[in-house]
Amino acid sequence: FWDTVKNSLIVVVVAVVASMVVAFLAAVALAKYRFTGRKLFIVAMIGILMLPSVGLIIPLYVVLARYHLTNTLTGVVLTYLTFVLPFAVWTLRGFVLGIPKELEEAAMVDGSSRVGAFLRILLPLVAPGLVATSVFAFVTSWNEYIFASVLLSDQSKQTVTVWLSGFYGTSRDTDWGALMAASTLTAIPVIVFFLLVQRKIGFGLTAGAVRG
């Protein structure tokens, strides 16, 4: 059990960190800049969100098999990014659009560079959005079963959700006590993560920052 928990933690932490970094930079680009193909990129991103996860299993498996990434945690991480990233980019774009551009302009008037304004003004103000989006990414990646079940055939590399499915059998041979105990332990990391970040989820840092 604990080996599968370790595998899940590795996959989820890497997927969440990678998705937050890439999604934040993409959200800033989509919200602050105008470039060729911007609208097409947004439409394609929404289209990916509309696709059912079952419809992505075969093409993703074919691509990962071509690069020998099936039955590896790296392949699972890349797979999780395909459905976590679009939602994260779309959500963070809304947070970035909600930050008045006058704040960054005021920082640059006071002598800050664009990078300095990005790090000192924009990044702290988007922090609640990053936290809220990371909660979604963590819960979605932690609870995911279908992709992990298809991609991971080696028991030593299975995630905790795939391991839990091993308890199911007929109504007579299912160990319900062990299943409930394992399910409770599986839910603990999600609860702990939420408790660690819940203070920043609804914190309105930009309230009253700009007055007309």
Side-chain angles (χ1 to χ4, degrees), residues 18-195:
S19 63
M20 289 303 101
V21 173
V22 176
F24 178 58
L25 296 176
V28 172
L30 291 174
K32 298 290 185 181
Y33 302 99
R34 300 292 182 267
F35 53 88
T36 304
R38 174 176 168 272
K39 292 183 178 180
L40 180 61
F41 181 82
I42 295 175
V43 171
M45 189 171 55
I46 297 175
I48 293 175
L49 292 174
M50 296 173 63
L51 291 174
S53 58
V54 178
L56 297 174
I57 293 178
I58 294 178
L60 284 174
Y61 188 90
V62 171
V63 172
L64 292 175
R66 182 179 302 172
Y67 295 99
H68 307 289
L69 291 175
T70 56
N71 199 31
T72 63
L73 296 182
T74 302
V76 177
V77 171
L78 294 175
T79 303
Y80 286 2
L81 289 177
T82 59
F83 56 85
V84 172
L85 262 179
F87 180 86
V89 173
W90 182 256
T91 305
L92 290 176
R93 177 178 175 269
F95 281 98
V96 175
L97 286 173
I99 297 175
K101 63 179 180 179
E102 290 83 0
L103 294 177
E104 293 181 85
E105 293 173 353
M108 288 187 284
V109 168
D110 290 338
S112 178
S113 62
R114 180 171 292 275
V115 176
F118 175 83
L119 296 176
R120 297 185 181 94
I121 304 298
L122 186 61
L123 184 59
L125 294 178
V126 183
L130 287 170
V131 172
T133 309
S134 66
V135 170
F136 164 82
F138 188 95
V139 174
T140 302
S141 301
W142 183 265
N143 293 332
E144 203 285 321
Y145 166 76
I146 297 177
F147 289 109
S149 178
V150 172
L151 293 175
L152 299 175
S153 57
D154 190 351
Q155 291 186 351
S156 63
K157 297 179 181 179
Q158 288 180 346
T159 59
V160 68
T161 53
V162 178
W163 181 83
L164 279 175
S165 66
F167 279 98
Y168 289 105
T170 63
S171 59
R172 293 186 177 182
D173 61 8
T174 299
D175 191 349
W176 293 107
L179 176 61
M180 293 304 297
S183 299
T184 302
L185 291 175
T186 302
I188 290 178
V190 177
I191 297 173
V192 171
F193 179 76
F194 179 79
L195 291 176

